[in-house]
Amino acid sequence: MILLEGVTKVFEGGTVALRDIDLDIKKGEFLFVVGPSGSGKTTLISLVLRELRVTRGKIWVAGKDITKMPTWKVPHLRRSVGTVFQDYKLLPSRTVAENVGFALEVLGRPRSVIDRQVQQVLELVGLQTKGDRYPRQLSGGEQQRVSVARAFVNRPPILLADEPTGNLDPATSVGIMRVLDRVNRTGTTVLMATHDHAIVDAMRRRVVQLERGKIIRDETRGTYESINRVGDS
């Protein structure tokens, strides 16, 4: 579903953000990317989203080589990739339902389809009774649930999440991860960058660890930090 081959990203001035990254993420996987600040997590997600261009290497997303993709095709690519960020990015003048349905409006979907899909996804994230609220009337955790709903309303095959629990307390973070787990169980591939040790340790999904732009660990059922025990996968 997402394939990186020999990906290197060098920023102007010579800073190497990623170096020779090989990564194969299968359809339906849930993968955590971990590592300290500056290790390359956000750069990796930005490359997959084609917000940045690679310096060297190839990236395939949903079967398409996005390193060769012309700029005018990038918006179409992003219809198949949902995104969730740390700062929610909600439209303050729109209700919860309007925020979630906005992407479908842009695609020209009929109102009946928008209303049905918005209600379905609000039920998935546990906000079915709050569609008429505005972002300012919601808690931080509820706003992030709206962000997840908006990212998933078009049923994308891939969802990218960059520190989605970074502004939330531990209990609220657990709720967000339950929502992302539900999304993943529908078949959507989830790639999440995080600093949250507790969540990674609790979920025991595939973990890729970056350090100074290189992959130093890739574990199938990993924890935030390597346990280094015999037989641990």
Side-chain angles (χ1 to χ4, degrees), residues 112-208:
S112 59
V113 171
I114 294 174
D115 290 344
R116 182 175 68 252
Q117 289 188 220
V118 167
Q119 187 57 32
Q120 288 173 351
V121 79
L122 287 179
E123 289 177 8
L124 179 78
V125 303
L127 292 176
Q128 59 268 35
T129 64
K130 298 192 176 181
D132 59 349
R133 303 282 182 90
Y134 288 88
R136 65 180 180 275
Q137 296 173 304
L138 303 178
S139 68
E142 288 171 334
Q143 290 185 60
Q144 191 61 294
R145 286 172 184 257
V146 177
S147 295
V148 174
R150 181 185 56 194
F152 187 61
V153 71
N154 199 36
R155 302 296 195 272
I158 297 167
L159 191 145
L160 306 179
D162 190 6
E163 300 284 0
T165 62
N167 288 332
L168 305 175
D169 63 77
T172 305
S173 297
V174 169
I176 294 299
M177 294 313 301
R178 285 178 181 149
V179 170
L180 290 175
D181 183 56
R182 283 184 215 130
V183 167
N184 176 240
R185 290 177 188 278
T186 70
T188 292
T189 304
V190 178
L191 171 60
M192 174 174 162
T194 185
H195 281 108
D196 198 321
H197 292 233
I199 281 173
V200 176
D201 292 350
M203 291 191 68
R204 295 303 296 265
R205 300 299 186 92
R206 184 179 173 192
V207 174
V208 167

Side-chain angles (χ1 to χ4, degrees), residues 23-56:
L23 184 61
D24 188 358
I25 305 171
K26 304 296 187 186
K27 177 176 169 53
E29 269 199 285
F30 195 124
L31 183 145
F32 288 112
V33 179
V34 304
S37 295
S39 61
K41 301 188 302 299
T42 294
T43 299
L44 189 152
I45 285 181
S46 296
L47 288 171
V48 172
L49 196 55
R50 247 297 287 273
E51 290 181 339
L52 297 174
R53 303 291 294 267
V54 300
T55 303
R56 291 189 301 277

Side-chain angles (χ1 to χ4, degrees), residues 36-106:
S37 295
S39 61
K41 301 188 302 299
T42 294
T43 299
L44 189 152
I45 285 181
S46 296
L47 288 171
V48 172
L49 196 55
R50 247 297 287 273
E51 290 181 339
L52 297 174
R53 303 291 294 267
V54 300
T55 303
R56 291 189 301 277
K58 298 279 188 180
I59 300 178
W60 282 267
V61 176
K64 297 179 178 65
D65 180 357
I66 68 169
T67 52
K68 293 181 177 178
M69 182 178 287
T71 302
W72 65 269
K73 284 191 174 182
V74 172
H76 187 265
L77 163 76
R78 291 176 183 165
R79 293 178 189 177
S80 63
V81 182
T83 53
V84 182
F85 300 98
Q86 184 173 339
D87 57 355
Y88 319 141
K89 298 185 184 299
L90 300 179
L91 300 169
S93 62
R94 289 179 175 253
T95 65
V96 166
E98 289 168 344
N99 265 282
V100 174
F102 183 68
L104 299 177
E105 287 181 30
V106 171

